[in-house]
Amino acid sequence: MSSERRMFIDGEWADARDGGRIPVFEPSTGAPLASVPAGTEADVHRAVTAARRAFDGGAWNGEVPPRHRAAVLNRIAGRIRSRAGELARLEVRDSGKPLGDALAEMDEAAFIFEYYAGWATKLAGEIPPVGPEALNLITYEPVGVCGLIVPWNFPLVMAVQKIAPALAAGCTAVLKPAEDTPLTALELAGIAAEAGLPAGALNVVTGTGPEAGAPLVAHPAVDKVSFTGSRDVGVQVATSAAATLKRVTLELGGKSPNVVFADAEFTEAVAGTCRGIFTNQGEVCSAGSRVLIQREIFDDALEALAAQAARIRLGDGLDTRTTMGPLVSARQRDRVMRYIEIGEKEGARAVHTGSLPGEPELAGGYFVPPVIFHASSHDLRIAQEEIFGPVMTVLPFDGVDEAIRLANDTAFGLGAAIWTNDVRKGLRVAKAVRAGVVWLNDTQAAPSEGIWGGFKASGVGRELGRQGLEAYLEAKQIHIKLT
Ligand code: NAD
């Protein structure tokens, strides 16, 4: 049954000022799941004003003792852990992903809060040596009010990757979740309030990109914007934020290469290559969607990839037999189906096309079968454009130099996976690939203690790890004359 949710502004549940609502659908059936307020500029303004007040008034900023900030973050983590099963099921129903993946994401969301709780008490300044006549102090201060905008593929984790370091740093925030998947972010707002986060420190405004996201980016009282989403919207965000000289972090798209050398551990590389693109229905920014295979093993690998993909079982994410769920929305399903048609028209050969679920109750779901294309050229659109669905494009290569050239022949630079048993060759390619995240004999690992972000059109700045915290800090120099 569909439920009506409200957004969270200044410590209270709220409707949109003009009363508008957005329906949210369950991807496995296409049935209505909930509705959320269609926030607009007026609601964004209310939320930003609350965040500004919390920051400037001292309810939550850099003066709040770090150990208190850490305690609140740890309590949020504890509440996420104790409600992980319920939150994971909500995430499945909202986004379509398999339950096992959603449970792992809840665990990671809790860990990210714990990780940044630890940083809150350990973020020390520096004293650079400037000679006997002065003392020079470098201190770190929160950047201020942050506008955080996230997509729908990892709804809670993407939000937490921004919220946790922002709060640890002493910033306040307004989060705008994706209109397709706003439900776990709203739960998080309630959890944070129960954990003792003061009113205004974290606000969640639901709504569309143009109506709620754009005014948040443009708002003059917002100091920093952190955006995860598509390249094209990222350009709009950067352009709009420039007018008020906001700090900006952008996590954008990818067309990541997955390079398999003939000397790789064959079974491991085939399983990893499939995992690299088919995890989360291919709705992963760093998905290994461009598969490059050394010619000596090309035919065998293609056959093995098709056999591996044939084991994928599509279904409702809540069904524990499901290994691939539906795409997030009818719009995304149609977009991916269009790319499959484009691939066929471009002359790519589909060496595998999976089956849709047979259950009649899933007939209205947004399912797309996994597809493996053998591409005739690296210039095809399916080899260059981000599809963001379960579509693998495979091409042969001949040697290390060609592997590097093809891996870098893209506008993007987010991830790259390399499969080889020759460590020197693997490291040579890892160094030469222009990407922010490189995996050697692995794929898609994204430990929150590491860093995340892209080269080239894949973004600006880094999330996670210490760099993810620095994105929410301003450095200040205090110079004291001693003589
Ligand atoms: P999107 O760019 O359409 O939307 C992302 C978010 O931005 C949503 O909340 C949306 O409402 C909002 N938005 C849309 N227009 C806006 C505007 N004009 N101003 C402000 N906000 C606006 O992307 P999507 O389709 O939701 O997500 C898929 C994209 O996200 C893919 O390109 C994927 O690669 C990327 N992504 C990147 C990463 C990363 O870490 N690099 C992670 C996940 C997803």
Side-chain angles (χ1 to χ4, degrees), residues 8-258:
F8 197 73
I9 298 178
D10 205 9
E12 291 179 358
W13 297 105
D15 287 313
R17 191 148 277 177
D18 68 9
R21 297 197 76 78
I22 300 177
V24 178
F25 298 97
E26 187 159 0
S28 63
T29 59
L33 174 63
S35 74
V36 295
T40 63
E41 189 168 3
D43 305 296
V44 168
H45 183 66
R46 257 198 305 161
V48 171
T49 306
R52 193 77 261 165
R53 199 181 313 118
F55 186 81
D56 295 339
W60 193 266
N61 63 19
E63 301 301 314
V64 173
R67 63 175 64 189
H68 177 66
R69 276 184 265 151
V72 173
L73 265 64
N74 277 320
R75 285 200 294 271
I76 296 174
R79 281 173 159 77
I80 292 174
R81 287 199 190 286
S82 66
R83 290 179 52 190
E86 171 210 337
L87 289 169
R89 281 189 295 279
L90 185 63
E91 198 78 304
V92 171
R93 295 194 66 195
D94 203 7
S95 69
K97 65 181 68 219
L99 182 61
D101 294 359
L103 282 166
E105 288 168 29
M106 297 309 123
D107 189 51
E108 197 62 20
F111 173 69
I112 295 170
F113 273 107
E114 290 160 354
Y115 175 79
Y116 283 109
W119 268 117
T121 53
K122 287 157 202 77
L123 184 76
E126 288 147 52
I127 307 179
V130 292
E133 289 168 8
L135 182 63
N136 190 289
L137 309 177
I138 296 175
T139 61
Y140 293 102
E141 299 182 8
V143 67
V145 173
C146 301
L148 312 176
I149 300 177
V150 293
W152 40 256
N153 55 343
F154 299 96
L156 189 68
V157 168
M158 293 275 137
V160 168
Q161 259 173 235
K162 299 183 191 302
I163 293 168
L167 294 177
C171 294
T172 60
V174 178
L175 173 75
K176 209 296 282 172
E179 47 273 49
D180 288 323
T181 56
L183 302 183
T184 48
L186 292 172
E187 293 299 315
L188 179 64
I191 285 173
E194 286 161 25
L197 192 70
L202 173 63
N203 308 273
V204 179
V205 175
T206 53
T208 67
E211 293 210 321
L216 180 58
V217 176
H219 201 294
V222 171
D223 300 296
K224 160 154 190 136
V225 170
S226 181
F227 169 83
T228 300
S230 60
R231 181 201 163 279
D232 291 355
V233 176
V235 170
Q236 290 174 36
V237 167
T239 308
S240 166
T244 42
L245 291 173
K246 292 183 173 67
R247 282 81 187 112
V248 176
T249 299
L250 301 174
E251 297 286 349
L252 309 177
K255 190 73 185 176
S256 299
N258 179 96

